[in-house]
Amino acid sequence: MKIKSIIFMLLILLFALVACGNDDTESKNAEENGNNTDIKQLVADYSTDKKEADSASITGKELIVSTSGGKEKTYELPKDEFFVSIAPFVDQTHPCTFHSLTGCQGEMVEKEFDVYIEDEDGNVIVDKKVKSLANGFIDLWVPRDKKYDITIEHDGKKVQSEFSTFAEDPTCLTNMQLT
């Protein structure tokens, strides 16, 4: 009778350990492999300095994070959405192709903009007021593999431009001067 009790307790303990271990592994894998919600949150956290890294940059395909000690992690982006970061400016800008979430700095910090984006078929994708981040950029997720017309307005100034969201396209748009 005593052996059955010990075996029963061991089985319960083993079950508890396996269950806890799987939860941790799944959480870790979700962050490392990045499902749509997690990767978008990870990008937002690096953009707003909630997460720190030596560098974090984003291409049309992946988020690349370098941490202390020279370790680099790569996260695949959502297959149906494209990240674009836009730094409207009046006087100063910088050349950029792939946005550095930890390094790029735009001119217009924490300003409110009216942003209107339409796809090539005339569908409205964005039509709202957006506040730029502390780095002067407006971060957006839009559908992949399309061409867009964008209008940005601020304080009586306006810029109209085009961009696209194919895999090799820039994620950092610093050429939109408000006039």
Short mmCIF file of all heavy atoms in Angstrom, two decimals, residues 2 4 27 29 32 39 49 64 66 72 80 102 107 145 153 172:
data_model
loop_
_atom_site.label_atom_id
_atom_site.label_comp_id
_atom_site.label_asym_id
_atom_site.label_seq_id
_atom_site.Cartn_x
_atom_site.Cartn_y
_atom_site.Cartn_z
N LYS A 2 1.96 1.22 0.76
CA LYS A 2 2.85 2.36 0.86
C LYS A 2 3.52 2.64 -0.49
O LYS A 2 3.70 3.79 -0.88
CB LYS A 2 3.89 2.07 1.93
CG LYS A 2 4.55 3.28 2.45
CD LYS A 2 5.41 2.93 3.63
CE LYS A 2 5.71 4.19 4.37
NZ LYS A 2 6.47 3.98 5.57
N LYS A 4 2.31 2.06 -3.50
CA LYS A 4 1.31 2.67 -4.39
C LYS A 4 1.18 4.16 -4.10
O LYS A 4 1.06 4.97 -5.01
CB LYS A 4 -0.05 1.97 -4.25
CG LYS A 4 -0.11 0.62 -4.89
CD LYS A 4 -1.50 0.05 -4.76
CE LYS A 4 -1.56 -1.33 -5.40
NZ LYS A 4 -2.89 -1.92 -5.27
N SER A 27 5.98 29.75 -23.92
CA SER A 27 6.11 31.20 -23.84
C SER A 27 7.41 31.66 -24.49
O SER A 27 7.45 32.63 -25.22
CB SER A 27 6.10 31.66 -22.38
OG SER A 27 4.86 31.37 -21.80
N ASN A 29 9.16 30.04 -26.80
CA ASN A 29 9.08 29.84 -28.25
C ASN A 29 8.22 30.89 -28.91
O ASN A 29 8.52 31.33 -30.01
CB ASN A 29 8.54 28.44 -28.58
CG ASN A 29 9.57 27.37 -28.32
OD1 ASN A 29 10.76 27.65 -28.22
ND2 ASN A 29 9.12 26.15 -28.18
N GLU A 32 10.48 33.86 -29.19
CA GLU A 32 11.59 33.66 -30.10
C GLU A 32 11.13 33.51 -31.55
O GLU A 32 11.75 34.03 -32.46
CB GLU A 32 12.41 32.44 -29.68
CG GLU A 32 13.20 32.70 -28.42
CD GLU A 32 13.94 31.48 -27.92
OE1 GLU A 32 13.88 30.43 -28.57
OE2 GLU A 32 14.58 31.61 -26.88
N ILE A 39 5.40 39.44 -31.95
CA ILE A 39 6.44 40.15 -32.68
C ILE A 39 6.09 41.64 -32.78
O ILE A 39 6.96 42.49 -32.65
CB ILE A 39 6.72 39.54 -34.08
CG1 ILE A 39 8.02 40.11 -34.68
CG2 ILE A 39 5.59 39.78 -35.04
CD1 ILE A 39 9.25 39.70 -33.97
N ASP A 49 11.62 51.97 -26.12
CA ASP A 49 12.64 51.75 -25.08
C ASP A 49 12.12 50.97 -23.87
O ASP A 49 12.71 51.04 -22.79
CB ASP A 49 13.26 53.08 -24.61
CG ASP A 49 14.08 53.74 -25.69
OD1 ASP A 49 14.68 53.02 -26.50
OD2 ASP A 49 14.12 54.99 -25.72
N ILE A 64 15.92 42.11 -36.26
CA ILE A 64 17.25 41.63 -35.89
C ILE A 64 17.69 42.38 -34.63
O ILE A 64 17.79 43.61 -34.64
CB ILE A 64 18.26 41.87 -37.03
CG1 ILE A 64 17.77 41.22 -38.31
CG2 ILE A 64 19.64 41.35 -36.63
CD1 ILE A 64 18.36 41.79 -39.56
N SER A 66 20.52 42.69 -31.53
CA SER A 66 21.85 42.38 -31.01
C SER A 66 21.90 42.80 -29.55
O SER A 66 21.56 43.94 -29.22
CB SER A 66 22.93 43.13 -31.79
OG SER A 66 22.94 42.71 -33.12
N GLU A 72 23.10 37.70 -31.29
CA GLU A 72 22.11 38.23 -32.23
C GLU A 72 20.94 37.26 -32.35
O GLU A 72 21.14 36.06 -32.49
CB GLU A 72 22.76 38.44 -33.59
CG GLU A 72 21.87 39.16 -34.57
CD GLU A 72 22.57 39.48 -35.88
OE1 GLU A 72 23.29 40.49 -35.93
OE2 GLU A 72 22.39 38.70 -36.83
N ASP A 80 1.63 38.47 -43.53
CA ASP A 80 0.63 39.30 -44.20
C ASP A 80 0.72 40.78 -43.86
O ASP A 80 -0.03 41.58 -44.39
CB ASP A 80 -0.78 38.77 -43.88
CG ASP A 80 -1.08 38.75 -42.38
OD1 ASP A 80 -0.14 38.84 -41.57
OD2 ASP A 80 -2.27 38.66 -42.03
N THR A 102 16.42 51.20 -32.30
CA THR A 102 17.21 51.69 -31.17
C THR A 102 18.14 52.84 -31.54
O THR A 102 18.87 53.32 -30.67
CB THR A 102 18.05 50.54 -30.58
OG1 THR A 102 18.83 49.96 -31.63
CG2 THR A 102 17.16 49.48 -29.96
N GLU A 107 13.10 64.32 -36.53
CA GLU A 107 13.05 65.71 -36.08
C GLU A 107 11.82 66.01 -35.21
O GLU A 107 11.91 66.74 -34.23
CB GLU A 107 13.02 66.61 -37.33
CG GLU A 107 12.80 68.07 -37.05
CD GLU A 107 12.64 68.89 -38.32
OE1 GLU A 107 12.94 68.40 -39.43
OE2 GLU A 107 12.21 70.03 -38.21
N ASP A 145 2.96 43.55 -49.70
CA ASP A 145 2.93 43.36 -51.15
C ASP A 145 1.94 44.27 -51.87
O ASP A 145 1.20 43.84 -52.74
CB ASP A 145 2.65 41.89 -51.49
CG ASP A 145 3.71 40.95 -50.90
OD1 ASP A 145 4.87 41.38 -50.77
OD2 ASP A 145 3.36 39.81 -50.57
N GLU A 153 -0.30 65.38 -42.59
CA GLU A 153 -0.50 66.81 -42.32
C GLU A 153 -0.18 67.11 -40.87
O GLU A 153 -0.45 66.31 -39.98
CB GLU A 153 -1.95 67.21 -42.61
CG GLU A 153 -2.32 67.07 -44.08
CD GLU A 153 -3.73 67.53 -44.37
OE1 GLU A 153 -4.06 68.68 -44.00
OE2 GLU A 153 -4.48 66.74 -44.95
N CYS A 172 12.14 52.20 -43.33
CA CYS A 172 12.43 53.49 -42.72
C CYS A 172 12.22 54.57 -43.79
O CYS A 172 12.96 54.63 -44.77
CB CYS A 172 13.87 53.50 -42.24
SG CYS A 172 14.35 54.94 -41.28
#
